[in-house]
Amino acid sequence: MLAAIVATGLATGAVYALIAVTYNVMFSASRVMSFTSGQLGMLGGVFGTVFALWLHLPVLFAFVLTLVACAAIGVVTEIVAVRPVLASLDKHLYVLSTLAFALMLQQLVAIEFSTEPQPFPRLIGIGAGVLDQKFWLPVLAGGVAVGLLEYVYRRTLIGHAFLAIAEDSFAARALGLPEQRLRMTSYAIAGAVGGLAGFAGGELMLSYVANGPLWSFYGFVPVALGGLGNNRGAIIGGLALGLFQQAANFLVGGIFVSVATFVVFILVLLAAPQGLFGGAVGRRV
Amino acid sequence: MTLARRDFLMASAAFAGAGLARPALAQSEPIRIGWLAALTGPGSSAGIGFDRGVTFAINEINAGGGVKGRRIELVTRDTQGDPTKCVNASVELARRLKVDVVWGPCNSGEALACTPILAREHVPQIHPCFVDTLIDPTKYPNAYRIACSNEQLGEASSKYVLQIMKVRDIALIGDTTGYGTSTVQAYAPVLKQMGGNIVYQSLIEASQADLSADMLRMRDAGAKVIMPWSVNGGLLGRLLNARGELGWDVPVVGHPALGSGEVKALLAKPEYWNKVYLMGFRSCSFDESGNLPERTQEFVKRIGGKITLADTSLWWVACGYDVAHLVAKAVEQSGGSGADDIIKAWNAVKDYPGVYGDYTFTAQQHNGYPTDEIVLSRANSFRDGAFEVAPGYG
């Protein structure tokens, strides 16, 4: 029983972690918390079902198409919901614009796809029991995604450029960096990461329109726990959240899981407002 | 302007004539049934099924000359399963359109919102919603239920498990919605009272990704049958997959959603649907030889080619069909379509032989469906809108 709890906890936690990374990547490029993150995850599952099950495309091809489609929606998010409100970040208009765009995506999926959970294809057919692919695929996807992102951010020139526009977009522009193009690229990467979450977690959590708001919610917890912009913190926070949820489900029952989760979340934030892995932010005076 | 005596007399005569003519006009006016239908939106499948039945019956009655020469007119409002839209439509049907009867709504959430309004407006209402509190002849003297209540479902499923399957150790679970929570709370005492031993009772979050741990706990608790109460196809599909992956062949007895296409689509293997039984109705179930009851068979033959049953439930169609006939019978017997006429006629209905069931209403009992018509069916036996009756009924 413990193995089942751990396997499910790690898998769902990895999906939450990938959604948290989606939040982080978008935030890093624009200082905007985009509420489309969970919807991008949901779309990863929906596209997976549409491409692999409905259109009978090979799984690998369906996977690539899913990432491309989600990346494109990431770019549209930037154009439609983020760029118009960037000039007035201090008014937090992005909360409304990204939330509205997220709701539009959700309604569109409800109308054109289904309001009921839909099956997701068996991807590679490896493993059984607690070692089934549906448990370890999301964890693998999370590890690979964060590893690649960390490499890009820390070891490549374009990664440094992403960090530069996040740090000070005016200074970055003054240095000749193509700020807008870099931001769009970041949103495309975020879209692909969100799509990866939904695709890798599809076998376990199905293609379901209601996953969108749920993941937007639970994906935000690791962001806060791990520290805003900290992908390694998000992964640890996500896995911890998944394990805690499953343990709470086992110990106190399904009806109290959300309550237990948010009690712990609030307690952690009271103890460490900057997140468990985030450093205190300096304020320029 | 002056009014001549002759004009005054003529006007008075005209008014008097109009007054005299009114009863004659009422006798030729159509009988108007307001239909609170969820025809679009997430819960629309039942609404569409009911709609097919009631429309077919009305067309049939009108083609035969109507009721005492009066046609039946269906005034449909699509509530989309939304209680707010249902309330607005109820007010419109009762106050502005002044319908004679309201049929619907199709789900309990909507009915909880609109039944008090229709009671206040004194419009006879007949609906197929399961929640027990919707029928109360004191609070809602004009509301009637044509389908079974939750209490009847609980009694029928408990009887099947305890008396036909002869299993006592039960795992009783529901989802965390209002329906799941209230059903588990309502059925637990019924099961215990009838001699059941609830070895595991739990509410499960419908979005929970994996149910292996819950299944292991049920198995370790010694459950010999699982009774899940949820309308969520995702949760039920995961439950059956977890059962299959554990290799545990414990029977599952529960909500009609266990036999839905959504659950079927989510099953990892078709055999995971074996030994799964859902609530159904004898009148709309195939017996072990694959035949429907004679009356239903005749009905299916009659609607053949006019109503498709492949994508709906036969009981929804039959129930909608019976509603139109119950209204027609009430008008025919009482001679009028006023609220009091219809209520008086319905209170005297005894063993009315509908397609979906034999209905009996009295002034004190507005639950018209007989409990012994409720049976369990095999979840994996759906064809032409009906399921095969579960083993053991004889």
Side-chain angles (χ1 to χ4, degrees):
Chain A
M1 198 178 301
L2 180 67
I5 293 169
V6 171
T8 313
L10 288 177
T12 50
V15 173
Y16 299 151
L18 279 168
I19 300 298
V21 171
T22 308
Y23 271 116
N24 277 343
V25 173
M26 291 185 179
F27 180 80
S28 298
S30 60
R31 300 276 140 187
V32 162
M33 291 297 296
S34 172
F35 292 98
T36 53
S37 302
Q39 307 294 355
L40 285 163
M42 176 268 288
L43 284 170
V46 168
F47 284 134
T49 292
V50 170
F51 293 139
L53 274 187
W54 293 11
L55 301 177
H56 304 291
L57 299 176
V59 166
L60 191 62
F61 192 40
F63 173 62
V64 174
L65 276 182
T66 298
L67 296 194
V68 170
C70 287
I73 292 169
V75 172
V76 175
T77 305
E78 196 277 333
I79 295 170
V80 172
V82 174
R83 199 181 300 174
V85 295
L86 269 183
S88 48
L89 265 184
D90 52 333
K91 291 178 184 160
H92 304 293
L93 290 175
Y94 60 83
V95 174
L96 274 180
S97 62
T98 59
L99 204 55
F101 189 59
L103 283 173
M104 282 171 61
L105 290 174
Q106 192 181 323
Q107 289 299 317
L108 205 62
V109 170
I111 294 165
E112 297 297 330
F113 180 68
S114 174
T115 51
E116 299 296 329
Q118 295 297 313
F120 193 85
R122 185 96 178 134
L123 294 175
I124 43 179
I126 297 177
V130 292
L131 295 178
D132 191 281
Q133 59 181 15
K134 71 181 176 187
F135 296 120
W136 56 259
L137 262 178
V139 181
L140 179 71
V144 169
V146 170
L148 280 174
L149 282 173
E150 288 293 295
Y151 175 79
V152 169
Y153 281 141
R154 287 168 194 274
R155 300 289 169 88
T156 66
L157 196 58
I158 193 168
H160 290 146
F162 284 138
L163 294 178
I165 61 159
E167 190 65 31
D168 189 332
S169 62
F170 290 107
R173 237 182 305 169
L175 286 170
L177 288 174
E179 183 219 2
Q180 192 166 296
R181 214 181 314 152
L182 283 169
R183 197 171 54 241
M184 282 174 69
T185 311
S186 265
Y187 270 75
I189 292 171
V193 172
L196 178 67
F199 196 91
E203 275 188 78
L204 189 63
M205 299 165 100
L206 307 174
S207 308
Y208 187 23
V209 67
N211 283 343
L214 198 75
W215 290 353
S216 286
F217 205 49
Y218 284 126
F220 185 76
V221 176
V223 173
L225 289 179
L228 203 52
N230 184 338
N231 287 334
R232 281 177 286 185
I235 283 284
I236 295 168
L239 295 178
L241 173 65
L243 287 171
F244 179 78
Q245 262 191 344
Q246 291 306 313
N249 180 49
F250 179 74
L251 294 171
V252 294
I255 199 162
F256 297 113
V257 166
S258 303
V259 178
T261 303
F262 282 95
V263 166
V264 171
F265 174 61
I266 290 164
L267 289 177
V268 168
L269 283 189
L270 284 173
Q274 72 283 2
L276 292 174
F277 305 98
V281 180
R283 189 163 63 91
R284 203 171 286 167
V285 290
Chain B
M1 187 181 137
T2 55
L3 185 66
R5 189 188 304 160
R6 193 169 45 189
D7 293 338
F8 176 78
L9 287 172
M10 280 180 71
S12 302
F15 274 115
L20 287 173
R22 200 170 295 137
L25 187 67
Q27 293 307 316
S28 61
E29 272 180 353
I31 303 158
R32 307 182 88 196
I33 302 178
W35 170 207
L36 295 167
L39 295 175
T40 55
S44 59
S45 40
I48 291 167
F50 289 129
D51 189 64
R52 288 179 190 170
V54 75
T55 307
F56 179 81
I58 289 173
N59 290 339
E60 200 180 55
I61 292 166
N62 288 340
V67 184
K68 292 195 163 182
R70 296 174 67 186
R71 291 173 57 77
I72 300 182
E73 188 182 304
L74 193 66
V75 185
T76 306
R77 291 292 177 269
D78 183 4
T79 63
Q80 301 178 325
D82 180 346
T84 310
K85 290 190 174 89
C86 182
V87 164
N88 293 339
S90 303
V91 172
E92 186 200 0
L93 291 173
R95 289 190 191 159
R96 197 165 71 76
L97 300 173
K98 299 197 184 302
V99 296
D100 299 302
V101 177
V102 167
W103 155 227
C106 315
N107 72 62
S108 296
E110 290 179 81
L112 284 166
C114 77
T115 298
I117 293 168
L118 293 168
R120 205 163 50 233
E121 297 294 330
H122 196 50
V123 179
Q125 179 197 11
I126 187 161
H127 65 71
C129 307
F130 292 176
V131 165
D132 296 317
T133 53
L134 286 168
I135 291 301
D136 182 337
T138 312
K139 273 167 80 179
Y140 314 126
N142 48 315
Y144 294 77
R145 177 164 21 225
I146 191 171
C148 58
S149 66
N150 259 342
E151 193 184 332
Q152 288 175 296
L153 282 177
E155 193 185 324
S157 59
S158 305
K159 265 187 187 166
Y160 183 73
V161 167
L162 297 166
Q163 293 171 9
I164 296 179
M165 291 175 98
K166 299 195 188 309
V167 171
R168 280 188 68 244
D169 299 326
I170 300 156
L172 180 66
I173 58 172
D175 61 30
T176 52
T177 63
Y179 171 75
T181 312
S182 62
T183 308
V184 166
Q185 278 170 359
Y187 288 6
V190 176
L191 283 163
K192 283 178 190 163
Q193 204 179 2
M194 293 175 71
N197 175 30
I198 299 175
V199 295
Y200 182 89
Q201 182 176 331
S202 174
L203 297 173
I204 298 174
E205 177 65 47
S207 61
Q208 195 176 309
D210 186 67
L211 297 173
S212 311
D214 301 79
M215 293 301 283
L216 285 166
R217 287 164 75 184
M218 289 183 225
R219 193 174 68 177
D220 293 351
K224 299 287 185 290
V225 63
I226 299 174
M227 298 182 76
W229 298 102
S230 170
V231 295
N232 188 296
L235 175 68
L236 296 171
R238 285 176 174 126
L239 182 88
L240 298 182
N241 282 338
R243 182 188 69 147
E245 280 157 21
L246 278 178
W248 187 26
D249 70 341
V250 62
V252 177
V253 174
H255 192 274
L258 281 165
S260 67
E262 284 86 25
V263 171
K264 184 184 178 186
L266 294 175
L267 293 177
K269 292 178 184 170
E271 58 266 32
Y272 289 176
W273 226 5
N274 293 344
K275 293 180 85 170
V276 178
Y277 308 109
L278 54 96
M279 303 304 306
F281 307 100
R282 195 185 289 274
S283 61
C284 296
S285 300
F286 296 107
D287 62 18
E288 285 180 353
S289 325
N291 298 316
L292 289 167
E294 207 175 310
R295 201 191 300 164
T296 316
Q297 188 57 53
E298 190 273 326
F299 172 70
V300 169
K301 201 185 286 178
R302 200 142 39 90
I303 62 173
K306 295 166 193 145
I307 294 181
T308 175
L309 291 173
D311 61 348
T312 190
S313 281
L314 174 57
W315 85 262
W316 291 334
V317 177
C319 182
Y321 178 86
D322 287 350
V323 164
H325 281 279
L326 279 171
V327 173
K329 182 183 163 62
V331 175
E332 197 174 288
Q333 281 190 344
S334 65
S337 58
D340 291 332
D341 299 327
I342 289 174
I343 289 169
K344 193 177 165 197
W346 277 351
N347 283 343
V349 167
K350 187 165 167 45
D351 296 327
Y352 172 78
V355 178
Y356 169 52
D358 291 357
Y359 311 100
T360 298
F361 296 112
T362 65
Q364 290 77 37
Q365 182 52 276
H366 290 193
N367 284 305
Y369 198 76
T371 306
D372 57 10
E373 274 291 304
I374 307 168
V375 291
L376 273 291
S377 307
R378 292 179 202 268
N380 56 359
S381 64
F382 182 83
R383 67 182 162 94
D384 299 330
F387 292 89
E388 192 181 298
V389 78
Y393 280 105

